[in-house]
C-alpha cells in the first residue's frame, strides 16, 4: 500500500501538471478577455491529433512536432478569437459561453467524423528506462512531461512579469478602455492571449497523447475540468489555476486508488460544488463572482 | 380582437391537422413526430428556465434521465404500470430539482451554468456506476408500453402518438398559462433585471426555486414518456451532447416565446431526416448552428420571421410612419 | 422616517463603511455625496437590505428593517433604483410599469385590475413616458430610461425612494428636467427621497440636507449652504472635483 501511495503521488504530479497547462490557458483567457472558452478541451484534442499526425505519419521528431502543434493550434486559436469571440465582445458573457460550447461540439464531432474512433498513440523517442524514487517508479517519459510542463510555465511567468507584452496583458485585464488609450493594441493582445492559451492546450494534448491515447472525444473531460479547476482556484488567478490543477490531479488519483477508477470523473464535480458552497470565490479568489 | 380570433382559429386548425396525421402518414414519419412531441415537452421545460427566468441550465438532460430511469425501474422491476409511474417520475425529478436548486440557484450566469452542468454529469455518472439499480452502461431493456386504455393500443406508434400529442399540448398550454400569470411575470422580471426585480417586491429566490422545481418535474415527465416509448434507455442517451441539442432547440427557435422552442425542436429533428446524406453529421451541424445562431440570430427563427414581417409592414406603411423609431425597434429585436 | 444607526460594512478586511449615522425626515430630499469609492453605493445597499451591514441597524418608520429582504421592505414602502441597468430592457414601457406594480397585490389586495391599469397610465403620464407606451425599454434614450426606472419605482407606491446617481450620463438639459421631476415627486406625491449624485449643481439646488462621505466615514452633514462652507468638505474635494 505504501508503495502504491507513493506511486499515486507521482501519478498525481503528472496529471496535475497537465491539468495545470490546461487551466492556466483557460484562466488567462478568462482573466484578460472575460471569455469562458468551453472549446478549450477541443484545442487540446487538436494538439494531440496534430502531434500524432506529424510523429506517427510523417515521422517528424517528437519535440519538433509538439512545437509545431503549438504553433498550428495557436494560430487556429488566433483565428477563433478573431472570427467568433471578437464579434461577441461586449455582449453578455453567456453568449461567448454558448458559442464556445457550440464550437466544442462542432470540432469534436467533425474530427470524430473524419478520423473515427480507434486507439491511436503518439510514438515517443523515450526509452522505457525508469527511475525508482523511494519505492515508486517513474519513467523517463513521465519525467520529461513534468520537465517540459515546468519549463513552459516558467517561461509564461517570465513573459507576464518581465516583458512589455506581459505588461500590456496585465494592463488590459485591469481596464480594457484605459489600456487602449495608453496605446495597447487590444485586438492584437486578445488574439495573442487566445493563441497562447490554445498553444498551451495543444502542448498538453501532445504530451498526454504520447502517454495515453489520442481520441476525438478526449477533450471533453479535460476542457470541463479546466473550467472547474479555474473556479476552484479563483477565476482569473494563474497561481490559483496551478494549485487547483494539483488539487484536482490528486483528488482523482486518490479516488481511483482508494475507491474505483470509474468514480474518478465524479470527483471534480463534487469538489466544485463543495468549494462553491463553502468558498464561493474559489481558493484564491479575489476575483468577482 | 380580430387578431386574437385569428390566432385561436389557427391553433384549432393546427390541432385538427395534427390529430388526423396518423391516418395520413406512414409509420416512420409518425415515429419522427413522436420524437418531436417528447422533445417539445423537454424544451418547453428548459425554456421555462432559460427563456423565461433567464437561467442557463445544463441540468435538464440529467433531470430528464432521472424521470426516464424512475419510470423504467418502476415499470420493469417494481411492476408498476406507466399510468402510476409517470406521476412518480415527475415528482422524483421535481424533488431532485428542488434539492439541486437550493444550492445552485445562489449562483448566477456562468457559475450557474457550470454548476448545473456539474449536477447533470453527476446524475449521468451515478446512473452509469450504479449497476444494480440502473444496469450501468447496459441500460434498461424491455420497458413496457403503457397499458391499453380507451381502446388505444400503445404498442402501435399511431396510438402512442395521441398520448404524446395530448401531453405536449397540455404542457405547452400549461407553460403559456403560467407565463401569463403573476408568477410568470415575476420570472420574466428576474430574467430582465434580477436585482431590480427585488425592489418591485418579487421574492426572486422563491420564484427561481419554484421555476426550477417545476421545470425539473416537466423534464421528468418527458423522460418517463421517452423511456416508455423507446422501451430502452442507457446513460448514452443523456450526455452533454443532448444538453447542447436541447439548448440549441430552444435558442434557435426563439427562447422566451411559446412557439419558438416548438419550431426549433421540429426543425432540428426534421433536419437530419430531410437531408439523409448528412444525418450522421448531425452533431457537427448542431455545433456549427449553435455558433452561428449566437453570432447572427440571437432571437432565433421566430425573431427572424417577426423582423421580416415587421419590415414588410414597414414597407407598406412607409409614408405613414416615422422611419427612425421603427428601425430602432428592429435593431433592438436583434439584441445589441 | 428613516434612521441609520452606526452602519459599518467590511469587505475582506477593507472598511467600506465606518459607523455612519444619520436620519431622514418625512418629506425631505437628502443628498449623499463624496468622492468615488467613498462608500455611497455600499451605504445604499445596506439601507435597502441588498446586503446586510456588518454592524449597525436601520429603522424605517420606527421599525427595524435590517435583516429583512428587499422584497419585504418594498412592501413596507421603501424602494430604489440602480446605477446602470435600471429597467427591464426587453419589455415595453407599459409592461415595465405594470411589473413595478407586482408588490401592490400584497400591499393593497383590494385594488382592482382596472384601478391598477388606470394608475399605471397616470404614472407614465407623470414621469413623461406615455407617448412611448409600447416601445421596448432598451430602445429608449438614457434620459427616458431613467424616467421609466423612476416610474417603475413609483408604481410600487413608495414612501421613501432611493436613487443611485440618476443623472449619470445625462446632458445639462436632461438633468434639469430630472431635478424638476424629483421635486414633483416630493411635492405632489409626498415621497421622501434620498439620492446619490455627482452633479453638484443638481444636488445643491435640490436637496434639503446633504451627507458627505469620505473613505466610508461621514465627514459632514447639513444644509447645502453649510456643506459648501465646510472646510473639511472642501479639503476632501480639493483637487478631485470642485464644488459648484
Amino acid at each position: 500500500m505504501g508503495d502504491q501511495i507513493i506511486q499515486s503521488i507521482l501519478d498525481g504530479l503528472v496529471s496535475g501538471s497537465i491539468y495545470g497547462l490546461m487551466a492556466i490557458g483557460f484562466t488567462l483567457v478568462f482573466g484578460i478577455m472575460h471569455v469562458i472558452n468551453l472549446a478549450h478541451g477541443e484545442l487540446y484534442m487538436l494538439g494531440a491529433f496534430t502531434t500524432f499526425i506529424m510523429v506517427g505519419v510523417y515521422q517528424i521528431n517528437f519535440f519538433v512536432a509538439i512545437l509545431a502543434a503549438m504553433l498550428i493550434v495557436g494560430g487556429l486559436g488566433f483565428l477563433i478569437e478573431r472570427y467568433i469571440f471578437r464579434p461577441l465582445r461586449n455582449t453578455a458573457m453567456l453568449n461567448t459561453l454558448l458559442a464556445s460550447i457550440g464550437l466544442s461540439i462542432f470540432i469534436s464531432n467533425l474530427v470524430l467524423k473524419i478520423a473515427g474512433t480507434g486507439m491511436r498513440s503518439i510514438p515517443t523517442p523515450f526509452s522505457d528506462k525508469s527511475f525508482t524514487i523511494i519505492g515508486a517508479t517513474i519513467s523517463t517519459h513521465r519525467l520529461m512531461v513534468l520537465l517540459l510542463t515546468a519549463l513552459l510555465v516558467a517561461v509564461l511567468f517570465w513573459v507576464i512579469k518581465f516583458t512589455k507584452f506581459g505588461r500590456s496583458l496585465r494592463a488590459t485585464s485591469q481596464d480594457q478602455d484605459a489600456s487602449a488609450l495608453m496605446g495597447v493594441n487590444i485586438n492584437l493582445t486578445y488574439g495573442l492571449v487566445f493563441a497562447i492559451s490554445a498553444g498551451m492546450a495543444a502542448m498538453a494534448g501532445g504530451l498526454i497523447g504520447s502517454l495515453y491515447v489520442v481520441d476525438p472525444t478526449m477533450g471533453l473531460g479535460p476542457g470541463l475540468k479546466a473550467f472547474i479547476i479555474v473556479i476552484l482556484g479563483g477565476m482569473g488567478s494563474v497561481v490559483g489555476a496551478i494549485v487547483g490543477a494539483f488539487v484536482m490531479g490528486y483528488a482523482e488519483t486518490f479516488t481511483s486508488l482508494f475507491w474505483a477508477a470509474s468514480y474518478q470523473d465524479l470527483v471534480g464535480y463534487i469538489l466544485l460544488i463543495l468549494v462553491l458552497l463553502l468558498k464561493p470565490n474559489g481558493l484564491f479568489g479575489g476575483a468577482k463572482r | 380582437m380580430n387578431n386574437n380570433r385569428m390566432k385561436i382559429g389557427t391553433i384549432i386548425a393546427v390541432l385538427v391537422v395534427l390529430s388526423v396525421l396518423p391516418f395520413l402518414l406512414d409509420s416512420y414519419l409518425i415515429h419522427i413526430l413522436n420524437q418531436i412531441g417528447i422533445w417539445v415537452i423537454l424544451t418547453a421545460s428548459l425554456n421555462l428556465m432559460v427563456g423565461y427566468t433567464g437561467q442557463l441550465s445544463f441540468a435538464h438532460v440529467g433531470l430528464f434521465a432521472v424521470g426516464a430511469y424512475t419510470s423504467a425501474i418502476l415499470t420493469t422491476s417494481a411492476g408498476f404500470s406507466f399510468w402510476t409511474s409517470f406521476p412518480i417520475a415527475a415528482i422524483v425529478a421535481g424533488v431532485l430539482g428542488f434539492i439541486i436548486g437550493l444550492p445552485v440557484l445562489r449562483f448566477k450566469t456562468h457559475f450557474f451554468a457550470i454548476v448545473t452542468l456539474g449536477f447533470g454529469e453527476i446524475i449521468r455518472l451515478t446512473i452509469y456506476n450504479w449497476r444494480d439499480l440502473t444496469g450501468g452502461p447496459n441500460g434498461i431493456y424491455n420497458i413496457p408500453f403503457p397499458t391499453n386504455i380507451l381502446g388505444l393500443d400503445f404498442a402501435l406508434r399511431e396510438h402512442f402518438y395521441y398520448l404524446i400529442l395530448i401531453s405536449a399540448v397540455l404542457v405547452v398550454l400549461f407553460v403559456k398559462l403560467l407565463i401569463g400569470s403573476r408568477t410568470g411575470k415575476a420570472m420574466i422580471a428576474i430574467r430582465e433585471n434580477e436585482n431590480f426585480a427585488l425592489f418591485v417586491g418579487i421574492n426572486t429566490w422563491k420564484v427561481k426555486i419554484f421555476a426550477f422545481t417545476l421545470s425539473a418535474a416537466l423534464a421528468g415527465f418527458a423522460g418517463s414518456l421517452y423511456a416508455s416509448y423507446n422501451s430502452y434507455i442507457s446513460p448514452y442517451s443523456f450526455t452533454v451532447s443532448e444538453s447542447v441539442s436541447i439548448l440549441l432547440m430552444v435558442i434557435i427557435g426563439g427562447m422566451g416565446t411559446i412557439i419558438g422552442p416548438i419550431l426549433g425542436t421540429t426543425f432540428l429533428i426534421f433536419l437530419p431526416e430531410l437531408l439523409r446524406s448528412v444525418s450522421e453529421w448531425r452533431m457537427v451541424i448542431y455545433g456549427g448552428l449553435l455558433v452561428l445562431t449566437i453570432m447572427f440570430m440571437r432571437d432565433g427563427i421566430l425573431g427572424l420571421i417577426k423582423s421580416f414581417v415587421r419590415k414588410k409592414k414597414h414597407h407598406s406603411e412607409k409614408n405613414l410612419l416615422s422611419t427612425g423609431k421603427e428601425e430602432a425597434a428592429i435593431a433592438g429585436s436583434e439584441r445589441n | 422616517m428613516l434612521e441609520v444607526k452606526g452602519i459599518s460594512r467590511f469587505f475582506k478586511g477593507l472598511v467600506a463603511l465606518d459607523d455612519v449615522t444619520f436620519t431622514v425626515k418625512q418629506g425631505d430630499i437628502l443628498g449623499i455625496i463624496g468622492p468615488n469609492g467613498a462608500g455611497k453605493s455600499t451605504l445604499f445597499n445596506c439601507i435597502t437590505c441588498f446586503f446586510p451591514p456588518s454592524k449597525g441597524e436601520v429603522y424605517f418608520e420606527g421599525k427595524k428593517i435590517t435583516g429583512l429582504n428587499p422584497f419585504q421592505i418594498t412592501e413596507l414602502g421603501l424602494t430604489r433604483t440602480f446605477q446602470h441597468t435600471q429597467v427591464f430592457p426587453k419589455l415595453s414601457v407599459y409592461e415595465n410599469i405594470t411589473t413595478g406594480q407586482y408588490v401592490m397585490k400584497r400591499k393593497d389586495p383590494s385594488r382592482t385590475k382596472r384601478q391598477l391599469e388606470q394608475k399605471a397610465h397616470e404614472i407614465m403620464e407623470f414621469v413623461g413616458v406615455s407617448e412611448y407606451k409600447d416601445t421596448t425599454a432598451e430602445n429608449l434614450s438614457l434620459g427616458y430610461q431613467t424616467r421609466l426606472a423612476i416610474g417603475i419605482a413609483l408604481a410600487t407606491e413608495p414612501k421613501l425612494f432611493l436613487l443611485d446617481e440618476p443623472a449619470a450620463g445625462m446632458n445639462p438639459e436632461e438633468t434639469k428636467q430630472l431635478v424638476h421631476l424629483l421635486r414633483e415627486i416630493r411635492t405632489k406625491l409626498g415621497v421622501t427621497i434620498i439620492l446619490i449624485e455627482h452633479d453638484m449643481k443638481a444636488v445643491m439646488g435640490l436637496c434639503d440636507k446633504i451627507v458627505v462621505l469620505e473613505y466610508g466615514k461621514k465627514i459632514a452633514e447639513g444644509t447645502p449652504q453649510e456643506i459648501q462652507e465646510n472646510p473639511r468638505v472642501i479639503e476632501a474635494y480639493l483637487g478631485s472635483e470642485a464644488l459648484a
Side-chain angles (χ1 to χ4, degrees):
Chain A
M1 195 67 195
D3 286 359
Q4 268 179 314
I5 291 176
I6 295 169
Q7 187 65 52
S8 290
I9 289 174
L10 285 175
D11 288 349
L13 201 62
V14 174
S15 63
S17 58
I18 294 290
Y19 283 152
L21 277 184
M22 293 289 287
I24 292 171
F26 194 101
T27 213
L28 273 182
V29 166
F30 178 81
I32 292 163
M33 304 165 55
H34 304 285
V35 163
I36 290 168
N37 176 25
L38 287 184
H40 198 59
E42 274 56 45
L43 297 169
Y44 157 93
M45 178 269 289
L46 288 177
F49 262 91
T50 318
T51 316
F52 169 76
I53 292 168
M54 282 190 280
V55 181
V57 181
Y58 295 103
Q59 271 112 43
I60 294 169
N61 173 285
F62 180 71
F63 295 99
V64 176
I66 290 252
L67 204 63
M70 288 172 73
L71 287 175
I72 292 170
V73 177
L76 180 69
F78 190 88
L79 294 178
I80 290 174
E81 197 282 329
R82 171 66 187 82
Y83 291 105
I84 296 179
F85 291 113
R86 196 191 293 179
L88 291 174
R89 207 184 287 168
N90 300 329
T91 69
M93 189 146 64
L94 284 180
N95 286 333
T96 50
L97 183 88
L98 284 169
S100 74
I101 293 174
L103 192 64
S104 143
I105 296 283
F106 176 77
I107 296 175
S108 59
N109 285 284
L110 187 66
V111 174
L112 188 65
K113 274 314 294 173
I114 296 169
T117 44
M119 299 296 215
R120 300 182 179 85
S121 191
I122 300 168
T124 52
F126 308 116
S127 62
D128 287 335
K129 207 173 121 196
S130 298
F131 299 91
T132 308
I133 309 163
I134 23 172
T137 51
I138 182 160
S139 62
T140 337
H141 190 173
R142 282 171 186 243
L143 208 59
M144 207 46 150
V145 168
L146 282 179
L147 288 178
L148 280 176
T149 313
L151 183 72
L152 187 71
V153 172
V155 169
L156 189 79
F157 263 100
W158 179 78
V159 167
I160 292 177
K161 282 268 183 265
F162 299 109
T163 63
K164 189 165 167 252
F165 176 64
R167 267 195 300 281
S168 68
L169 278 191
R170 278 176 287 147
T172 322
S173 74
Q174 297 288 323
D175 189 333
Q176 195 186 6
D177 298 333
S179 53
L181 286 177
M182 279 156 50
V184 176
N185 183 340
I186 297 282
N187 284 340
L188 186 66
T189 309
Y190 279 17
L192 287 177
V193 168
F194 212 95
I196 290 172
S197 159
M200 291 176 77
M203 174 167 160
L207 294 175
I208 277 290
S210 68
L211 278 176
Y212 306 109
V213 289
V214 180
D215 176 271
T217 55
M218 69 190 277
L220 193 66
L224 286 175
K225 277 175 199 162
F227 190 3
I228 293 172
I229 288 164
V230 165
I231 292 180
L232 289 183
M235 302 288 284
S237 152
V238 174
V239 176
I242 295 172
V243 176
F246 284 104
V247 170
M248 181 76 118
Y250 278 115
E252 287 190 351
T253 342
F254 282 112
T255 309
S256 143
L257 176 65
F258 292 115
W259 202 6
S262 57
Y263 288 102
Q264 196 175 300
D265 286 336
L266 268 174
V267 174
Y269 295 110
I270 291 169
L271 261 181
L272 166 78
I273 288 157
L274 284 180
V275 168
L276 279 179
L277 289 179
L278 302 175
K279 214 165 173 309
N281 286 331
L283 301 172
F284 290 78
K288 56 230 121 201
R289 279 177 70 169
Chain B
M1 210 65 217
N2 206 0
N3 203 350
N4 245 347
R5 210 174 279 168
M6 230 174 84
K7 243 186 192 167
I8 292 170
T10 318
I11 289 168
I12 290 173
V14 169
L15 286 180
V16 168
V17 170
L18 283 176
S19 58
V20 298
L21 280 182
F23 301 102
L24 306 173
L25 301 177
D26 66 18
S27 181
Y28 183 70
L29 280 175
I30 292 300
H31 173 62
I32 293 170
L33 286 181
N34 284 343
Q35 298 288 359
I36 291 174
I38 291 168
W39 289 87
V40 160
I41 299 174
L42 186 57
T43 50
S45 124
L46 185 65
N47 191 30
L48 216 49
M49 275 321 277
V50 178
Y52 287 111
T53 321
Q55 316 289 322
L56 187 61
S57 164
F58 283 98
H60 273 64
V61 162
L63 297 162
F64 179 61
V66 167
Y69 271 91
T70 308
S71 193
I73 291 164
L74 287 177
T75 49
T76 53
S77 316
F80 281 57
S81 89
F82 169 81
W83 305 107
T84 43
S85 75
F86 91 77
I88 298 175
I91 291 167
V92 169
V95 169
L96 192 69
F98 179 77
I99 293 168
I100 292 175
L102 288 177
V104 162
L105 287 166
R106 287 177 20 190
F107 303 110
K108 289 180 183 157
T109 62
H110 52 285
F111 282 97
F112 181 80
I114 188 71
V115 180
T116 49
L117 195 132
F119 271 106
E121 282 291 281
I122 288 175
I123 291 172
R124 190 178 64 83
L125 292 166
T126 308
I127 290 171
Y128 192 90
N129 285 303
W130 197 349
R131 283 159 195 257
D132 297 340
L133 189 70
T134 63
N138 298 328
I140 298 177
Y141 292 90
N142 293 330
I143 303 164
F145 294 114
T147 45
N148 301 353
I149 53 159
L150 306 168
L152 291 172
D153 176 5
F154 293 103
L156 298 171
R157 283 171 177 177
E158 288 76 7
H159 288 194
F160 211 121
Y161 173 87
Y162 288 103
L163 175 60
I164 292 172
L165 178 65
I166 291 169
S167 307
V169 169
L170 287 180
V171 167
V172 170
L173 196 68
F174 173 73
V175 170
K176 167 130 182 98
L177 289 176
L178 177 70
I179 292 313
S181 76
R182 189 172 145 82
T183 309
K185 297 243 155 52
M187 286 163 58
I188 293 173
I190 291 170
R191 175 193 74 196
E192 290 294 304
N193 192 338
E194 191 168 340
N195 290 342
F196 200 21
L198 279 169
F199 288 95
V200 298
I202 295 169
N203 186 343
T204 52
W205 198 82
K206 202 167 124 191
V207 172
K208 283 199 294 184
I209 194 95
F210 171 78
F212 197 68
T213 306
L214 187 69
S215 119
L218 290 178
F221 172 51
S224 171
L225 274 175
Y226 178 86
S228 181
Y229 179 70
N230 291 302
S231 66
Y232 166 66
I233 51 171
S234 81
Y236 300 105
S237 316
F238 309 102
T239 61
V240 176
S241 285
E242 264 59 42
S243 276
V244 175
S245 300
I246 58 169
L247 201 63
L248 177 61
M249 287 171 186
V250 172
I251 294 173
I252 202 171
M255 57 179 168
T257 62
I258 294 291
I259 310 287
I262 302 176
L263 279 181
T265 308
T266 312
F267 174 66
L268 286 184
I269 293 181
F270 256 118
L271 187 69
E273 302 295 336
L274 288 176
L275 312 163
R276 267 303 168 73
S277 54
V278 298
S279 69
E280 45 191 64
W281 294 80
R282 191 177 71 110
M283 286 317 294
V284 181
I285 296 171
Y286 281 14
L289 273 178
L290 182 54
V291 177
L292 293 176
T293 310
I294 293 295
M295 293 189 68
F296 303 112
M297 206 174 72
R298 241 164 278 157
D299 284 328
I301 298 170
L302 202 66
L304 209 66
I305 296 171
K306 273 185 186 159
S307 74
F308 179 73
V309 169
R310 217 176 302 161
K311 256 178 212 161
K312 248 191 147 171
K313 209 167 154 193
H314 169 60
H315 267 285
S316 60
E317 294 172 15
K318 209 173 195 172
N319 300 328
L320 299 170
L321 277 167
S322 72
T323 49
K325 229 189 260 173
E326 195 66 356
E327 262 155 24
I330 292 164
S333 75
E334 277 151 20
R335 199 175 291 186
N336 20 40
Chain C
M1 164 162 242
L2 186 83
E3 288 171 81
V4 176
K5 287 186 182 169
I7 291 282
S8 299
R9 171 80 195 191
F10 315 121
F11 289 109
K12 297 189 182 216
L14 290 172
V15 184
L17 273 183
D18 189 0
D19 198 22
V20 175
T21 299
F22 64 89
T23 59
V24 186
K25 279 212 311 280
Q26 164 89 44
D28 263 4
I29 298 183
L30 175 89
I32 295 171
I33 62 169
N36 279 328
K40 302 180 299 278
S41 287
T42 308
L43 176 64
F44 255 38
N45 288 335
C46 288
I47 294 175
T48 57
C49 305
F50 193 59
F51 49 63
S54 310
K55 256 195 240 159
E57 283 155 0
V58 180
Y59 290 82
F60 177 60
E61 296 188 311
K63 186 181 184 311
K64 183 178 157 189
I65 56 170
T66 308
L68 293 181
N69 274 310
F71 63 88
Q72 292 169 314
I73 62 160
T74 305
E75 197 176 336
L76 295 175
L78 192 157
T79 194
R80 67 172 292 180
T81 59
F82 284 88
Q83 206 173 335
H84 298 296
T85 45
Q86 7 183 22
V87 295
F88 303 110
K90 291 269 164 202
L91 302 183
S92 76
V93 166
Y94 181 68
E95 286 167 332
N96 266 273
I97 301 283
T98 52
T99 304
Q101 291 176 324
Y102 184 89
V103 75
M104 293 313 296
K105 192 167 175 206
R106 267 183 285 138
K107 231 172 142 176
D108 181 5
S110 69
R111 212 78 72 83
T112 64
K113 205 172 160 227
R114 184 92 189 79
Q115 282 170 321
L116 284 174
E117 277 170 16
Q118 172 81 30
K119 184 85 192 183
H121 282 98
E122 280 171 30
I123 290 167
M124 285 194 294
E125 193 69 41
F126 185 82
V127 297
V129 293
S130 290
E131 60 174 312
Y132 300 109
K133 183 170 159 301
D134 298 318
T135 308
T136 312
E138 66 184 354
N139 293 332
L140 293 175
S141 70
L142 187 91
Y144 277 96
Q145 282 196 22
T146 307
R147 282 163 180 272
L148 178 58
I150 292 172
I152 300 166
L154 290 180
T156 69
E157 300 184 17
K159 295 173 198 158
L160 176 63
F161 183 15
L162 290 85
L163 296 99
D164 195 346
E165 286 196 45
M170 282 187 175
N171 63 36
E173 182 55 33
E174 287 171 325
T175 309
K176 223 173 99 189
Q177 288 172 355
L178 176 75
V179 167
H180 178 71
L181 179 62
L182 292 178
R183 277 211 187 94
E184 291 216 311
I185 291 172
R186 189 243 305 257
T187 51
K188 290 194 179 157
L189 305 178
V191 176
T192 310
I193 292 173
I194 305 179
L195 81 156
I196 294 173
E197 193 44 73
H198 270 302
D199 189 318
M200 284 306 151
K201 207 171 141 217
V203 173
M204 294 301 165
L206 182 65
C207 298
D208 305 301
K209 194 168 113 178
I210 289 168
V211 167
V212 189
L213 294 183
E214 190 195 23
Y215 299 119
K217 281 199 176 77
K218 184 177 86 175
I219 58 166
E221 182 180 0
T223 63
Q225 184 72 29
E226 286 164 5
I227 293 299
Q228 272 163 315
E229 288 161 2
N230 186 318
R232 183 78 187 76
V233 177
I234 294 168
E235 188 195 328
Y237 269 86
L238 208 69
S240 57
E241 291 157 82
L243 284 171

